[in-house]
Amino acid sequence: MDGILVINKPQGWTSHDVVGRVRRLTQQKRVGHAGTLDPMATGVLLVCLGRATRVAEYLTASDKTYRAVMRLGVETDTFDAEGQVTATHPVNVGESALRSALEKFSGEIEQIPPMYSALKRDGKPLYKLARKGVKVERAPRRVTIHEITLRAWQSPDATIDVRCSPGTYIRSLAHDIGAALGCGAHLVALTRLASGSFTIDDAVTLEDLTGLQDLSGLLLPLDAALQNLPAITLDADQTRRIALGQVIPSSDAGPLPDSLYRAYDIHGKLIALIAYDAVAQVWRPKKVLIE
């Protein structure tokens, strides 16, 4: 089986746990996920099967949308409810002050990744160092908050919707908003509502999968991850050469140089991702997707 499953990840499961369950259900070795969710989080987790694992990087690179509940007045070492409380503060925050603080986090911002994260330092995940009491400097990373909206406010809990660039830590965002308000905050609930064009309305639960003998009807095709890329159709000879990893000549001045294109054969089957080399006037295969 080749394709993409949109899973509604349950709370308490790691992304790796979900992959393992899908691997057992399908009896298929090549299974992977695109875009890790913390165990506490729920919502959209994209699981790739077979050849779809080759396009996982394009799924991971898409924008994400989250609904988050943050609790003001309490800070934790993990920036979420699974950590140890490190500080408490009185919450003297009104809705207008909260909205003003959220506005400051709209646009391109810098985030320092939390110590309790899967990022590595000298080959070791930061969370393993953190568990040993080791704290290391982390370089700030630029991320983009396309939209941040206050959905509900009942002190000390605020529910926000966030549409952001990949790599954004919502735990860090909650922590930083709390710092800006002067009372601290941590994340108490998180749901990924969308990953790229895939939404929670498209998602199935692990319980849904367990009772099925055949999952093929739930699988989305590989190119569902690539709809933002332009497409071209190759003739039989061009298809053969691209499938072999060879270039194909073309004097067409239309394509954008170095931009990725979806390449299909005359039957509409996705063959490869290719890019046009304007200097050499050839199409170059970047990722061959047939076997």
Side-chain angles (χ1 to χ4, degrees):
M1 285 187 286
D2 302 308
I4 301 163
L5 277 175
V6 185
I7 302 292
N8 187 346
K9 188 190 85 65
Q11 188 174 25
W13 287 58
T14 68
S15 300
H16 184 71
D17 289 338
V18 174
V19 167
R21 172 62 67 87
V22 172
R23 185 177 287 124
R24 288 191 295 274
L25 288 172
T26 60
Q27 296 296 299
Q28 186 159 319
K29 291 183 178 181
R30 281 196 297 170
V31 182
H33 66 80
T36 302
L37 277 175
D38 289 338
M40 188 187 83
T42 64
V44 175
L45 181 69
L46 302 179
V47 178
C48 301
L49 284 77
R51 290 188 300 130
T53 56
R54 312 240 11 243
V55 299
E57 63 189 278
Y58 303 101
L59 293 167
T60 303
S62 61
D63 288 342
K64 309 294 188 291
T65 302
Y66 297 93
R67 179 159 295 165
V69 181
M70 57 183 188
R71 181 159 296 159
L72 306 187
V74 179
E75 299 177 69
T76 72
D77 55 0
T78 60
F79 300 170
D80 64 20
E82 296 190 333
Q84 299 295 314
V85 173
T86 57
T88 60
H89 311 275
V91 179
N92 299 310
V93 175
E95 183 173 327
S96 60
L98 178 57
R99 290 185 182 276
S100 295
L102 295 180
E103 288 177 2
K104 296 176 183 177
F105 289 88
S106 181
E108 192 173 82
I109 64 171
E110 284 195 342
Q111 270 194 341
I112 296 177
M115 270 301 300
Y116 283 87
S117 67
L119 295 177
K120 292 184 178 180
R121 172 66 61 88
D122 298 328
K124 295 182 179 180
L126 292 184
Y127 69 84
K128 290 188 176 181
L129 295 176
R131 288 172 182 169
K132 295 178 179 179
V134 178
K135 189 174 182 178
V136 299
E137 291 295 321
R138 288 96 66 204
R141 305 197 306 182
R142 299 200 71 80
V143 299
T144 301
I145 308 298
H146 300 293
E147 188 175 2
I148 182 167
T149 306
L150 180 64
R151 301 287 299 185
W153 167 236
Q154 186 171 358
S155 183
D157 292 348
T159 301
I160 59 175
D161 282 358
V162 181
R163 184 169 62 87
C164 56
S165 62
T168 302
Y169 283 94
I170 305 300
R171 286 183 289 137
S172 292
L173 182 63
H175 174 83
D176 293 345
I177 291 170
L181 289 167
C183 61
H186 71 286
L187 198 66
V188 295
L190 181 67
T191 299
R192 183 186 284 161
L193 300 176
S195 179
S197 61
F198 304 97
T199 73
I200 199 164
D201 293 332
D202 306 318
V204 296
T205 67
L206 292 177
E207 288 78 9
D208 293 334
L209 298 182
T210 302
L212 294 177
Q213 297 298 317
D214 182 8
L215 305 185
S216 59
L218 298 176
L219 287 174
L220 299 174
L222 274 68
D223 55 358
L226 307 167
Q227 292 302 302
N228 61 317
L229 302 179
I232 65 169
T233 299
L234 307 178
D235 62 29
D237 182 62
Q238 291 172 324
T239 296
R240 179 187 62 81
R241 296 181 67 170
I242 288 294
L244 293 172
Q246 301 173 355
V247 301
I248 53 176
S250 174
S251 59
D252 188 351
L256 296 174
D258 301 322
S259 295
L260 284 177
Y261 283 70
R262 292 173 284 147
Y264 294 85
D265 66 13
I266 57 175
H267 304 293
K269 182 178 181 180
L270 181 63
I271 300 300
L273 297 179
I274 63 178
Y276 187 66
D277 183 336
V279 176
Q281 293 190 323
V282 296
W283 286 100
R284 298 188 183 277
K286 294 297 183 180
K287 183 166 289 192
V288 176
L289 298 171
I290 60 172
E291 297 173 344

